[in-house]
Amino acid sequence: MKNAGAWFAVLLLVLSAVVFVQSLDLRYKTPFGPGPGMFPLWLSGLLFIVSLLYLYESVKKQPVRFADILPKGDGLFNVAATVGAVIVFLLVMPYTGFTTGIFIMLVLVFLRQFKWYSALAVSAAVAFAVFVLFQQLLGVPLPTNDFGW
């Protein structure tokens, strides 16, 4: 129960099995060459084999405990705050749009390291840079809100 390596290997096994089964619905080859199902089929198959090997090694060798992986004290709080900021981003992005959502997420992350006005400025600059890079330079449409931003 405390072997983090074995749990991670099982998680990878399940993930690779799901991707493998899903890739069977895609065409393996087309008249022009490899189809869209070839890459996920082979990649998930290889991941399944590697996961089995990792599971064997994590059970037979010295196990990695969960307590050895997680940071202590302030580091654990930083990890939790970052995960929380990503969850907030996922919750607000459909309503606020990508640019505003990324701004909110970055403010939550940067408030622990910077003064509030610096966190706002850096977050706004990064959100604006991401918007310009994807929307304007690359032509990749980002999710928007009702106001178009």
Side-chain angles (χ1 to χ4, degrees):
M1 184 68 176
K2 295 181 180 183
N3 190 345
W7 282 105
F8 183 71
V10 169
L11 177 71
L12 282 179
L13 279 170
V14 170
L15 174 70
S16 63
V18 168
V19 172
F20 187 85
V21 169
Q22 292 294 316
S23 69
L24 293 175
D25 291 339
L26 301 171
R27 291 178 53 192
Y28 184 74
K29 67 182 213 178
T30 66
F32 304 108
M38 187 181 120
F39 183 70
L41 183 81
W42 280 93
L43 188 63
S44 61
L46 290 173
L47 181 62
F48 191 83
I49 293 169
V50 170
S51 301
L52 282 175
L53 294 172
Y54 183 60
L55 180 62
Y56 174 77
E57 185 167 325
S58 66
V59 170
K60 291 293 180 184
K61 304 286 181 181
Q62 181 178 357
V64 178
R65 297 179 320 145
F66 283 106
D68 296 337
I69 295 174
L70 294 175
K72 309 283 188 270
D74 229 14
L76 181 61
F77 187 77
N78 287 339
V79 169
T82 303
V83 170
V86 170
I87 291 171
V88 167
F89 169 73
L90 292 173
L91 293 174
V92 302
M93 196 267 304
Y95 305 105
T96 63
F98 184 85
T99 306
T100 308
I102 200 88
F103 171 75
I104 293 169
M105 181 187 77
L106 291 174
V107 167
L108 292 174
V109 170
F110 291 150
L111 275 177
R112 294 210 14 92
Q113 302 298 323
F114 300 109
K115 295 182 179 175
W116 68 269
Y117 50 85
S118 298
L120 289 175
V122 171
S123 300
V126 171
F128 180 73
V130 168
F131 172 77
V132 169
L133 175 70
F134 282 95
Q135 195 81 19
Q136 306 299 325
L137 298 177
L138 297 175
V140 176
L142 297 172
T144 59
N145 60 10
D146 292 337
F147 302 111
W149 41 274

